Amino acid sequence: MAAIEVEDEDDVVINPATMLLRDDSDEVKTAETEQLRQHSLPSIGSTIVTRQLPSQGLSFQLWPAATTLLTLLDDHRRDPTASPLGPTISALESGRRLKILELGSGTGLVGIAAAATLGACVTVTDLPHVTDNLRYNVELNAAVLGGSGGSVTVAALRWGEAEAIGREFDLVLASDVVYHDHLYEPLLKTLKDVSVASGGSYCLPFYREAK
């Protein structure tokens, strides 16, 4: 199995000027505390739209590694032979849809992009209070997912309680998920538990250093 995404259990205030990465996404402010962002996927001729709610905490914001990973997934779809993700994904594919688990999904951008570009069956997870916005974003992109053959399921998951997922996965995704030292141990336990349940797995953690 493999992994990609990031989650933070303590929604504390972090200065977005130092943590958020400006990208080429189009941003539309619908209210003071709500933002809709459009993310292009040229490889499939589609656009993903996600809702951010910055005032509600870290898990409701878009973080640097997510946009970079989206670009990697899009590039992989365009030319798998030139993609740094190619060796891992090729080793997992066996004529069936990949089963992917994303940890700390936040807005769900990475999981939705993985489902759309890989035609995969993706489970996006985060803390219980984050799942309503995750479902909103999945439903917002139903047409994109329907046209790609991929699917996205939303599930609540507290790290260290992987038995709540109850499924086997080929790959785990995680990007920008840890901001506090006390989260490393439950994250590692979750990765171990999911790997054992799946009979072995690939983990693709992804992060960008804050500047």
Side-chain angles (χ1 to χ4, degrees):
M1 166 174 32
I4 302 175
E5 212 307 48
V6 176
E7 164 183 341
D8 186 277
E9 185 166 323
D10 295 329
D11 281 350
V12 299
V13 176
I14 288 183
N15 184 355
T18 60
M19 292 298 295
L20 295 178
L21 178 70
R22 300 178 67 91
D23 60 19
D24 295 330
S25 304
D26 296 324
E27 179 179 307
V28 180
K29 294 184 178 180
T30 59
E32 183 178 354
T33 59
E34 177 177 329
Q35 299 171 356
L36 295 180
R37 296 180 71 92
Q38 300 179 351
H39 313 271
S40 177
L41 290 175
S43 65
I44 60 174
S46 295
T47 298
I48 293 175
V49 179
T50 58
R51 180 178 69 175
Q52 294 186 81
L53 304 169
S55 66
Q56 295 193 27
L58 300 180
S59 299
F60 297 84
Q61 302 176 48
L62 182 65
W63 297 96
T67 54
T68 303
L69 185 50
L70 176 141
T71 299
L72 286 173
L73 288 165
D74 188 51
D75 289 345
H76 175 81
R77 172 61 182 259
R78 184 183 299 107
D79 185 1
T81 62
S83 168
L85 303 180
T88 297
I89 293 176
S90 296
L92 295 172
E93 290 177 332
S94 58
R96 61 176 175 79
R97 295 170 65 192
L98 288 177
K99 294 181 180 179
I100 297 176
L101 171 66
E102 185 187 11
L103 300 177
S105 299
T107 63
L109 176 63
V110 169
I112 295 169
T117 57
L118 302 176
C121 179
V122 179
T123 299
V124 294
T125 65
D126 213 307
L127 294 170
H129 72 283
V130 183
T131 56
D132 282 348
N133 193 53
L134 267 174
R135 290 190 182 90
Y136 180 93
N137 284 333
V138 171
E139 293 171 1
L140 201 59
N141 294 281
V144 175
L145 294 170
S148 69
S151 64
V152 178
T153 301
V154 177
L157 175 64
R158 294 183 182 278
W159 293 351
E161 302 175 4
E163 63 275 7
I165 297 299
R167 293 180 55 185
E168 296 183 356
F169 299 95
D170 302 304
L171 175 71
V172 177
L173 305 178
S175 61
D176 277 344
V177 290
V178 175
Y179 301 107
H180 302 292
D181 291 346
H182 72 274
L183 293 174
Y184 284 112
E185 184 174 344
L187 172 59
L188 291 174
K189 182 180 187 305
T190 298
L191 291 172
K192 178 181 178 180
D193 291 346
V194 171
S195 177
V196 170
S198 302
S201 62
Y202 286 86
C203 177
L204 294 179
F206 197 81
Y207 70 95
R208 289 285 299 270
E209 293 184 1
K211 295 182 180 180

